[in-house]
Amino acid sequence: MTGAEITGVVGGAAGIEAMYAAVRALAAAFDQTGDELRAWAGDGFRALMDPDLASTALLSPPTFALAEAALLAATTGPLGLLPGSAGWEADAVLVRAAVAMLAASDDAAHLALEVVDWRLGLAAGGAVRLVGPAAAVGLIAMPPDARDRLGIAAESWIVHHPGFVQHAANAGGGLFTGLAPLPFVVPDNRTATALLATPYDDGTAVTTRRPDLGVPADHRQPGSIEALVEHLSEVAGLSPDPDSADNGTIEVQSLDPGTDRARHVVYIPGTDDLATLPWTQDGDVRDLGSDLRSAAGQETAYQRGILDAMRQAGIGRHEPVLLVGHSLGGMEAAALASRDTGFAITDVVTAGSPTAQLDGFPDGVHVLSLEHRGDVVPLLDGADNPDIREQTTVTFDDGGRPEVEAKHAYGHYIDGAAAVDASADPSLTREVAGLHDRGFLEDGRTATEVTSQFFQIVRR
């Protein structure tokens, strides 16, 4: 691996929504200034009507007239307080209108892309329905070496054209509609994904403590984003293949447990068995069915198992929690942070995870999403992550092999995390500093005690 280069940062403290919020705060300051000026003008009017002041007019009529004229000029004159307050409040209205127009143009552009993608998917679905069988026969008839070369070329093209993959995923609703032999409208990608998930039985999560398991970093507080992703890769290594006996294992790491400073890091690996079909489902909770349900924005047995593990680990309701997940694990982490779970989930770090299917995050939640260029998995939500204050999305490139599966590997995301640690981007420095300040990363608040518990989640 070579060092990763950050190619884009969206959202967070320096994102568009943060800028809009700052401009709206400026408009509020204009409004407040107008209110204060108008209040001072009222004080001037009350001073003019004061009986004690009026009674002094007989003592020196000329000077009283001059004072009265000066006070009137200061309150209602062209450069006075009252016209000034109107000017400040008019500026506030104009600033708010400008922000509203910019936000509306963003929404309109997004809606236009949604319509274009859906219609392209509809056309593609109709074409596949007409010529798909013949194309499939032609592909089967090709010599094996020619099929292999075609597959390699297609894989390389997909890796180097991530935008196409994202638009193709977003066209899922139109594609389903075009494929359907009867009139049947699928409005969007999330609905199409939910339809694909329907044949899978989500089942019931069974969570079991596994004191026999461990990883080298389990009793060491992480000191960086890189260390978090490395630690997560160690937990994922406990289930290295689809048939591993320890599939579904997660880790709950507790920092200063049993004190008023207790906080926790939950490490959530991704899919164990991507080849699962509805009729081959077994006890693996991290399978294709969970991928599809989570991508459709639905709750999953894996999510319920994670929450059960957190309860068994003794995490208190108000103790801060950081969730760290790769692929499906990041999807589940973000989904849990997006709703009320009964836990104080304050931070999430995702690696190679689609999250745009969610409807945002509550105030006080901080989500850092790492996406490797060429990794198609985080593109399968069919949309860019929103540019919001609660979520910072960083894209990076560290080269490497062009295979689709290789682009999703942990090694790339460890490189990307190291680049985040070293970055001077204001949104990223704010996120990293926040994880230190909230005590998840050492040096900000180094833990005096670190404990670790492992749990295995299976589907019944």
Side-chain angles (χ1 to χ4, degrees):
M1 295 285 180
T2 60
E5 177 186 356
I6 291 177
T7 57
V9 178
V10 174
I16 291 293
E17 184 169 304
M19 182 189 71
Y20 286 169
V23 175
R24 291 188 186 101
L26 178 64
F30 287 174
D31 261 340
Q32 183 179 359
T33 300
D35 292 341
E36 291 175 352
L37 292 177
R38 193 165 54 253
W40 293 345
D43 292 340
F45 281 121
R46 283 188 290 275
L48 283 173
M49 302 299 294
D50 190 297
D52 293 335
L53 179 62
S55 66
T56 64
L58 296 175
L59 301 177
S60 180
T63 56
F64 180 82
L66 289 174
E68 186 178 44
L71 193 54
L72 284 171
T75 53
T76 61
L79 300 179
L81 295 171
L82 202 57
S85 71
W88 282 97
E89 290 174 346
D91 287 344
V93 171
L94 291 174
V95 168
R96 288 195 180 97
V99 172
M101 288 178 63
L102 288 171
S105 66
D106 291 342
D107 292 341
H110 175 72
L111 181 60
L113 284 175
E114 292 287 310
V115 172
V116 169
D117 285 346
W118 191 90
R119 290 194 173 277
L120 288 174
L122 179 66
V128 169
R129 186 153 53 88
L130 291 174
V131 303
V137 170
L139 185 63
I140 294 171
M142 290 178 65
D145 59 336
R147 277 203 308 272
D148 292 342
R149 288 196 301 272
L150 179 62
I152 292 171
E155 194 169 21
S156 177
W157 191 88
I158 288 172
V159 165
H160 290 95
H161 296 82
F164 173 83
V165 176
Q166 183 166 292
H167 284 292
N170 195 40
L175 180 65
F176 261 63
T177 303
L179 287 171
L182 299 174
F184 179 65
V185 176
V186 181
D188 53 34
N189 176 49
R190 187 155 69 172
T191 305
T193 306
L195 288 172
L196 288 174
T198 301
Y200 288 89
D201 182 1
D202 195 40
T204 301
V206 178
T207 306
T208 306
R209 194 185 303 272
R210 291 293 304 273
D212 56 311
L213 297 179
V215 297
D218 58 11
H219 284 76
R220 184 170 64 246
Q221 181 181 7
S224 62
I225 307 298
E226 180 183 12
L228 286 172
V229 180
E230 283 181 333
H231 192 148
L232 177 63
S233 71
E234 292 178 359
V235 179
L238 296 173
S239 49
D241 59 68
D243 297 321
S244 295
D246 299 323
N247 281 356
T249 299
I250 70 170
E251 179 188 356
V252 178
Q253 187 181 48
S254 297
L255 311 174
D256 295 322
T259 72
D260 59 0
R261 305 180 307 280
R263 60 266 187 215
H264 310 269
V265 185
V266 183
Y267 299 92
I268 310 172
T271 310
D272 290 320
D273 187 0
L274 190 61
T276 305
L277 297 172
W279 51 89
T280 65
Q281 276 191 285
D282 53 20
D284 286 343
V285 73
R286 297 195 297 232
D287 62 3
L288 181 58
S290 291
D291 281 308
L292 293 170
R293 291 180 67 86
S294 189
Q298 300 174 359
E299 291 188 24
T300 66
Y302 191 21
Q303 292 176 27
R304 295 190 290 274
I306 294 165
L307 294 177
D308 190 24
M310 292 167 66
R311 283 188 287 269
Q312 291 189 40
I315 297 179
R317 180 175 179 83
H318 300 294
E319 294 172 353
V321 177
L322 161 63
L323 305 179
V324 187
H326 173 256
S327 193
L328 170 63
M331 294 166 66
E332 305 293 54
L336 292 173
S338 71
R339 66 177 195 266
D340 182 11
T341 61
F343 293 100
I345 299 172
T346 61
D347 293 86
V348 174
V349 175
T350 71
S353 306
T355 63
Q357 70 274 9
L358 301 172
D359 295 324
F361 302 94
D363 290 340
V365 173
H366 306 267
V367 180
L368 175 62
S369 295
L370 281 64
E371 297 187 356
H372 180 217
R373 178 174 172 78
D375 182 2
V376 302
V377 175
L379 307 177
L380 297 179
D381 49 19
D384 293 331
N385 286 346
D387 192 331
I388 55 178
R389 287 175 292 177
E390 294 80 15
Q391 184 173 22
T392 303
T393 302
V394 53
T395 54
F396 64 92
D397 191 359
D398 68 348
R401 291 157 41 206
E403 292 89 348
V404 170
E405 184 177 359
K407 292 290 185 181
H408 193 53
Y410 274 100
H412 294 291
Y413 283 97
I414 292 171
D415 280 353
V420 170
D421 289 321
S423 175
D425 181 272
S427 288
L428 296 182
T429 56
R430 182 74 64 87
E431 287 300 313
V432 175
L435 288 168
H436 281 283
D437 293 343
R438 289 183 286 279
F440 296 114
L441 303 181
E442 62 182 355
D443 296 333
R445 197 196 321 163
T446 301
T448 57
E449 182 183 1
V450 180
T451 64
S452 182
Q453 301 177 67
F454 288 81
F455 299 87
Q456 185 176 17
I457 305 167
V458 298
R459 175 187 287 113
R460 184 174 60 210

